[in-house]
Amino acid sequence: MSKKGLIMFLLLLSFWFILSAEIDFQHLAIGVLVALSTTWFWGSTAEALPSIPTFREFLGFGRCLWLLLVAVVESNISVARIVLSGGECEPRVFRFQPELQTNWGRVFVANCITLTPGTVTVDLNPDNGEFTIYALGDEQEQGVFAWRLIEQVRKLEAGRMVAWEEPSGYSQELSA
């Protein structure tokens, strides 16, 4: 078992113990069996996992999560204002291309946009990284364009570009 496979096994086993809430022989035996079989079955994907982040990268990701939390609170207030005041919203669909370099960065930002009230990522073009986004109004649309989180993700991408490249022989396409 490779080092990444062992890490995957230990993470799965830890997750099992958190979910089971008890550590006795039965839970231990089943947890080890399930974690081992899952690691064996998905073992080839362990090589696609990124390397362990440095402390600086870990702090950068923490900053991303903080910026997301702030945006969620601000958007909640903005959407609540629209709903409680009975004001009209002007829904719109727009395209946005944030110039992110990795699929990880694009998917992360797309999920963050969807998690933020008042906006939903409708589509993400994998070829050019263009987002199609639904927003409740102008304030939400302008918030996406001015979001500091996207710049933080660019910084993370710049530092991890080599680690996030797909390993040779790994394909994202599904066979029919």
Side-chain angles (χ1 to χ4, degrees):
M1 184 182 296
S2 69
K3 183 178 178 181
K4 287 186 178 182
L6 180 63
I7 290 171
M8 192 162 119
F9 167 75
L10 292 174
L11 287 172
L12 287 170
L13 189 61
S14 300
F15 185 65
W16 175 266
F17 287 140
I18 290 169
L19 289 180
S20 64
E22 290 183 37
I23 300 179
D24 56 14
F25 179 74
Q26 179 182 0
H27 286 94
L28 177 66
I30 292 174
V32 168
L33 181 68
V34 168
L36 269 177
S37 61
T38 304
T39 303
W40 172 80
F41 186 75
W42 293 102
S44 62
T45 61
E47 297 308 316
L49 294 173
S51 61
I52 297 172
T54 64
F55 184 70
R56 177 176 278 178
E57 292 164 342
F58 185 75
L59 288 178
F61 188 70
R63 181 173 164 85
C64 284
L65 295 179
W66 174 254
L67 291 171
L68 174 63
L69 179 67
V70 169
V72 166
V73 170
E74 289 173 349
S75 293
N76 269 317
I77 293 169
S78 173
V79 171
R81 240 187 265 129
I82 292 171
V83 170
L84 295 176
S85 69
E88 293 183 27
C89 58
E90 300 170 6
R92 60 195 66 206
V93 176
F94 63 96
R95 295 187 189 280
F96 174 58
Q97 194 159 0
E99 303 298 330
L100 297 169
Q101 302 300 314
T102 63
N103 286 334
W104 177 90
R106 292 172 183 157
V107 170
F108 181 73
V109 169
N111 283 320
C112 289
I113 289 170
T114 300
L115 286 171
T116 306
T119 55
V120 175
T121 303
V122 177
D123 187 35
L124 170 57
N125 185 333
D127 296 327
N128 62 8
E130 183 179 68
F131 291 66
T132 303
I133 300 170
Y134 169 85
L136 278 180
D138 187 55
E139 184 178 351
Q140 286 78 18
E141 179 181 357
Q142 296 309 315
V144 170
F145 285 109
W147 205 4
R148 292 187 336 217
L149 174 97
I150 295 168
E151 183 58 36
Q152 184 65 32
V153 171
R154 281 189 200 120
K155 288 178 185 176
L156 282 175
E157 283 182 330
R160 298 288 293 197
M161 208 56 120
V162 175
W164 287 338
E165 290 177 357
E166 294 173 0
S168 60
Y170 179 77
S171 174
Q172 290 182 338
E173 295 181 23
L174 297 174
S175 57

